[in-house]
C-alpha cells in the first residue's frame, strides 16, 4: 500500500511493526530526594530534621511488600495499598507528604476552589498586565492545605502550571464544541 510518505516510527514498533528489535539500555530510573532549595521555595515539609540528601535503599521487607501488592493483606501491615505507595514515595523524596501531580478528587476540588473563589484567588498574586497566575505563590498556598489526614499532596509550581494548562485546553475545547453544535 502506497501512502505518499514514509511511515513514521512510533514508540512501540518500527516501520514494519516489529516491536522485538529494541535493544536493552543501561538507563536507570528512580525516585530521588527533593533538593532542600525546592522544599524551601514551595514550603514543602521535610521528612527529616536535617534533610541532607543521602542514598536510600529499599529494605528487603519493603521490596517483598511491593512485589506482592496485589495479594498482600495491607490492613495487617497498617497500610492500605494507596497509603503505602504514597508513604513509600514520600520516604524516597524525603518529604512529609509525597509530591505528585494534581490527581485525587480532593485535589481537583481544592484546585477549583483556589482558582474560582475571590478570597483565595486574591492570595495568589498575579504577574503583569496579562493577569497570569504566579504559580510559585500558588504552590506555596497549596502547601498550606496539605496534611496527613487528607488526600491533598504537595505540588511544585510546574505541577500546578501543567494542570492549569490542561484545564484551560479542556475549557477551550468545550467552548468551541458548544459553539458549533
Amino acid at each position: 500500500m502506497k501512502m505518499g510518505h514514509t511511515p513514521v516510527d512510533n514508540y512501540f514498533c518500527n516501520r514494519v511493526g516489529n516491536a522485538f528489535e529494541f535493544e536493552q539500555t543501561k538507563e536507570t530510573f528512580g525516585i530521588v530526594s527533593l533538593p532542600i532549595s525546592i522544599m524551601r521555595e514551595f514550603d514543602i515539609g521535610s521528612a527529616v530534621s536535617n534533610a541532607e540528601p543521602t542514598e536510600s535503599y529499599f529494605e528487603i521487607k519493603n521490596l517483598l511488600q511491593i512485589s506482592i501488592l496485589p495479594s498482600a493483606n495491607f490492613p495487617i501491615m497498617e497500610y492500605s495499598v494507596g497509603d503505602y505507595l504514597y508513604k513509600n514515595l514520600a520516604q524516597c523524596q524525603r518529604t512529609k507528604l509525597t509530591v505528585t501531580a494534581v490527581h485525587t478528587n480532593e485535589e481537583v476540588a481544592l484546585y477549583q476552589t483556589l482558582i474560582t473563589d475571590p478570597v483565595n484567588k486574591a492570595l495568589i498574586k498575579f504577574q503583569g498586565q496579562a493577569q497570569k497566575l504566579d504559580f510559585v505563590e500558588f504552590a506555596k498556598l497549596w502547601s498550606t492545605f496539605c496534611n496527613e489526614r487528607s488526600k491533598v499532596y504537595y505540588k511544585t509550581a510546574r505541577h500546578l502550571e501543567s494542570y492549569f494548562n490542561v484545564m484551560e485546553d479542556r475549557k477551550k475545547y468545550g467552548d468551541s464544541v458548544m459553539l458549533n453544535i
Side-chain angles (χ1 to χ4, degrees):
M1 171 185 220
K2 190 139 179 124
M3 292 188 272
H5 61 82
T6 58
V8 177
D9 286 339
N10 65 30
Y11 295 110
F12 304 107
C13 59
N14 60 17
R15 289 190 173 106
V16 293
N18 187 350
F20 300 108
E21 294 180 358
F22 292 117
E23 293 182 25
Q24 182 67 36
T25 67
K26 301 215 184 290
E27 292 179 290
T28 58
F29 300 92
I31 304 163
V32 297
S33 61
L34 262 62
I36 297 169
S37 60
I38 290 177
M39 286 191 217
R40 286 186 186 136
E41 182 177 8
F42 302 120
D43 295 334
I44 295 173
S46 175
V48 292
S49 58
N50 62 2
E52 289 299 321
T54 59
E55 285 193 39
S56 66
Y57 298 96
F58 282 108
E59 296 176 9
I60 299 223
K61 179 179 111 180
N62 289 347
L63 286 174
L64 179 63
Q65 289 171 357
I66 290 172
S67 68
I68 59 171
L69 276 178
S71 61
N73 188 352
F74 280 97
I76 291 172
M77 292 188 277
E78 299 177 8
Y79 290 111
S80 69
V81 173
D83 285 344
Y84 175 75
L85 296 176
Y86 289 122
K87 287 179 182 182
N88 187 48
L89 182 57
Q91 180 183 359
C92 292
Q93 293 173 335
R94 298 180 62 80
T95 56
K96 283 185 182 176
L97 299 170
T98 187
V99 179
T100 63
V102 177
H103 70 289
T104 66
N105 292 337
E106 292 88 344
E107 289 176 338
V108 171
L110 175 62
Y111 177 86
Q112 289 302 322
T113 301
L114 293 175
I115 289 293
T116 58
D117 182 47
V119 174
N120 290 322
K121 199 172 183 180
L123 296 173
I124 305 169
K125 297 177 183 143
F126 289 87
Q127 297 175 1
Q129 295 178 359
Q131 294 296 305
K132 287 187 160 189
L133 290 172
D134 183 349
F135 291 102
V136 173
E137 290 298 320
F138 195 2
K140 288 178 183 179
L141 176 63
W142 186 280
S143 292
T144 64
F145 293 92
C146 299
N147 64 59
E148 293 176 0
R149 294 176 302 281
S150 71
K151 292 193 182 247
V152 176
Y153 303 103
Y154 292 122
K155 306 286 174 266
T156 63
R158 185 64 187 117
H159 287 124
L160 294 170
E161 183 179 8
S162 177
Y163 190 72
F164 175 82
N165 290 337
V166 167
M167 297 310 290
E168 285 295 304
D169 287 346
R170 286 181 186 173
K171 181 180 171 189
K172 289 174 188 173
Y173 174 79
D175 290 347
S176 66
V177 167
M178 292 305 289
L179 288 173
N180 293 309
I181 290 181

